[in-house]
């Protein structure tokens, strides 16, 4: 299998490392010729600073698009039109209508289009999903997410909702196995051009709720979530991948194997290309996350709940 990567920025360097380790990286493309050459030389693959040149020169099966959000639509469209399988880093597009167009194009050309919502592949989330699905601790009624840190230096074109909160929006949809019908949010900016703190409430059927708190103000990195069930609270850390279940009379630590989520995510995409029934984020699910992020920004602007009807 041959895989190319477009974009080698702050997060993209991790994709390059793993794709090379897996022996599938065949070419690098970056608009910055110096970076393109640097990574091409480092991993002994061909390098390009033009997507059109790459498409004309290389034979490959799939592509990773790890570029600023504002460029995703144009790049992914060209790749899908060339009938290549495409993995786009989150969020898939800035506008949900662009995502809808890409999803239709992928369906028309019978290729895979997926998006990098990495927490679905976090072993801790996977284990919590199993516990929730098996109703080991009763019914899941509420999710709470805390994602805090200083703003990453490579993020320039979006605020915290599109860069950070989207992870927890997708994880909430995944754990509830449902889409919210109402969004209410408050957000603001203190130190940055875009919003750098946000609190989002997602309302699901049967009064279930997800509360997502994100900020780029806290100096310490926090990545935690709680799954509140009728018989216990399951608490986990996205970073350490530890899981603790709090009951009335005692706490229980759930044992799980810790693995690199990005490796698992990339392996699933490669498996899907090979026709294996691997777990991937469906393109419409990624579009829905963008719709929810749009609703959160609109709710924050207008100070009202936004009602949705998602597929």
């Amino acid at each position: 299998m041959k895989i190319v990567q477009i974009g080698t920025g702050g997060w993209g360097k991790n994709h390059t490392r793993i794709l090379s380790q897996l022996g599938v990286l065949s070419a690098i493309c970056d608009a910055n010729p110096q970076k393109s050459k640097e990574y091409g030389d480092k991993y002994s693959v061909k390098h390009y600073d033009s997507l059109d040149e790459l498409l004309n020169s290389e034979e490959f099966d799939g592509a990773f698009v790890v570029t600023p959000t504002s460029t995703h639509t144009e790049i992914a469209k060209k790749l899908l039109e060339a009938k290549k399988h495409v993995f786009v880093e989150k969020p898939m597009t800035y506008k949900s209508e662009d995502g809808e167009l890409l999803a239709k194009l992928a369906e028309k050309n019978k290729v895979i289009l997926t998006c990098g919502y990495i927490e679905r592949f976090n072993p801790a989330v996977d284990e919590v999903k199993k516990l929730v699905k098996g109703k080991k601790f009763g019914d899941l009624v509420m999710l709470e997410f805390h994602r805090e840190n200083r703003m990453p230096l490579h993020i320039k074109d979006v605020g915290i909702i599109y860069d950070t909160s989207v992870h927890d929006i997708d994880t909430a949809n995944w754990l509830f196995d449902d889409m919210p019908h109402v969004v209410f949010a408050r957000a603001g900016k203190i130190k940055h051009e875009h919003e750098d703190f946000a609190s989002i409430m997602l309302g699901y059927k049967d009064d279930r709720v997800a509360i997502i708190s994100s900020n780029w103000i806290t100096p310490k990195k926090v990545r935690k979530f709680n799954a509140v069930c009728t018989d216990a609270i399951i608490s986990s850390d996205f970073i350490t991948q530890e899981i603790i279940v709090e009951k009335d009379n005692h706490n229980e630590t759930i044992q799980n194997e810790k693995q690199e989520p990005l490796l698992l995510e990339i392996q699933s995409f490669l498996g899907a290309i090979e026709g294996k029934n691997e777990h991937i984020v469906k393109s419409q699910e990624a579009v829905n996350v963008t719709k929810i992020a749009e609703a959160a920004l609109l709710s924050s602007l207008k100070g009202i709940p936004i009602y949705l009807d998602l597929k």
Side-chain angles (χ1 to χ4, degrees):
M1 189 186 296
K2 290 185 176 181
I3 300 293
V4 302
Q5 183 175 323
I6 296 96
T8 56
W11 181 232
K13 63 181 184 290
N14 297 308
H15 296 72
T16 324
R17 167 179 56 84
I18 291 170
L19 289 168
S20 179
Q21 282 173 2
L22 295 173
V24 296
L25 185 68
S26 65
I28 289 283
C29 180
D30 196 292
N32 182 331
Q34 283 180 305
K35 289 196 75 176
S36 178
K37 185 179 186 314
E38 178 195 338
Y39 278 84
D41 291 348
K42 182 177 180 179
Y43 293 106
S44 303
V45 294
K46 291 181 182 176
H47 56 90
Y48 302 87
D49 51 31
S50 155
L51 177 58
D52 290 335
E53 191 185 345
L54 180 143
L55 282 166
N56 290 331
S57 307
E58 293 288 324
E59 284 293 324
F60 59 95
D61 303 293
F64 279 75
V65 179
V66 197
T67 59
T69 304
S70 56
T71 66
H72 287 180
T73 303
E74 183 187 353
I75 294 170
K77 187 169 179 283
K78 283 185 178 180
L79 291 162
L80 293 169
E81 284 172 345
K83 300 191 175 179
K84 306 298 183 185
H85 301 291
V86 180
F87 177 110
V88 184
E89 251 311 328
K90 60 80 205 163
M92 194 158 76
T93 55
Y94 192 68
K95 295 179 180 176
S96 58
E97 55 261 40
D98 290 338
E100 297 273 19
L101 289 171
L102 294 180
K104 284 174 185 166
L105 185 55
E107 190 178 2
K108 177 189 164 191
N109 287 344
K110 296 182 170 56
V111 289
I112 296 163
L113 170 63
T114 187
C115 188
Y117 285 111
I118 193 170
E119 301 299 10
R120 287 212 197 175
F121 300 87
N122 189 313
V125 175
D126 186 51
E127 189 61 38
V128 172
K129 170 90 171 170
K130 287 174 188 168
L131 294 172
V132 165
K133 202 171 180 182
K135 297 195 175 187
K136 186 173 179 185
F137 302 106
D139 293 319
L140 176 64
V141 293
M142 185 164 71
L143 291 164
E144 302 167 322
F145 296 91
H146 294 274
R147 198 173 284 263
E148 305 161 13
N149 202 11
R150 291 287 195 231
M151 182 180 179
L153 294 175
H154 63 276
I155 301 300
K156 308 287 186 203
D157 61 338
V158 292
I160 198 163
I161 291 175
Y162 269 89
D163 178 66
T164 300
S165 306
V166 287
H167 277 303
D168 298 326
I169 291 169
D170 182 72
T171 304
N173 294 344
W174 175 240
L175 291 174
F176 275 135
D177 198 19
D178 196 11
M179 291 292 155
H181 58 79
V182 63
V183 180
F184 182 73
R186 301 294 286 170
K189 51 189 173 185
I190 297 172
K191 299 178 179 178
H192 306 100
E193 181 187 350
H194 302 282
E195 84 283 351
D196 54 15
F197 67 92
S199 293
I200 303 169
M201 189 179 83
L202 306 179
Y204 297 80
K205 66 173 179 278
D206 301 325
D207 297 325
R208 297 176 302 166
V209 67
I211 298 165
I212 297 167
S213 297
S214 317
N215 81 63
W216 279 332
I217 314 301
T218 312
K220 185 182 171 190
K221 190 172 185 176
V222 177
R223 300 277 187 277
K224 294 183 177 180
F225 73 101
N226 298 320
V228 181
C229 300
T230 47
D231 298 330
I233 295 176
I234 308 167
S235 300
S236 186
D237 189 309
F238 288 114
I239 301 169
T240 65
Q241 298 178 21
E242 292 173 333
I243 303 168
I244 295 169
V245 178
E246 299 175 52
K247 299 180 189 174
D248 284 336
N249 47 6
H250 72 285
N251 290 356
E252 174 187 341
T253 301
I254 304 291
Q255 299 301 321
N256 62 311
E257 187 184 351
K258 293 164 182 59
Q259 291 178 276
E260 185 178 4
L262 185 60
L263 171 62
L264 299 176
E265 181 179 54
I266 288 173
Q267 285 176 324
S268 278
F269 177 60
L270 300 180
I273 291 175
E274 290 175 330
K276 296 172 186 172
N277 189 22
E278 294 290 342
H279 159 50
I280 60 166
V281 177
K282 294 181 179 68
S283 55
Q284 188 58 51
E285 292 173 326
V287 171
N288 285 347
V289 173
T290 302
K291 286 182 176 180
I292 295 163
E294 286 171 337
L297 282 168
L298 184 62
S299 173
S300 172
L301 191 68
K302 292 187 174 291
I304 59 172
I306 304 295
Y307 292 88
L308 300 170
D309 183 16
L310 301 173
K311 300 174 193 172

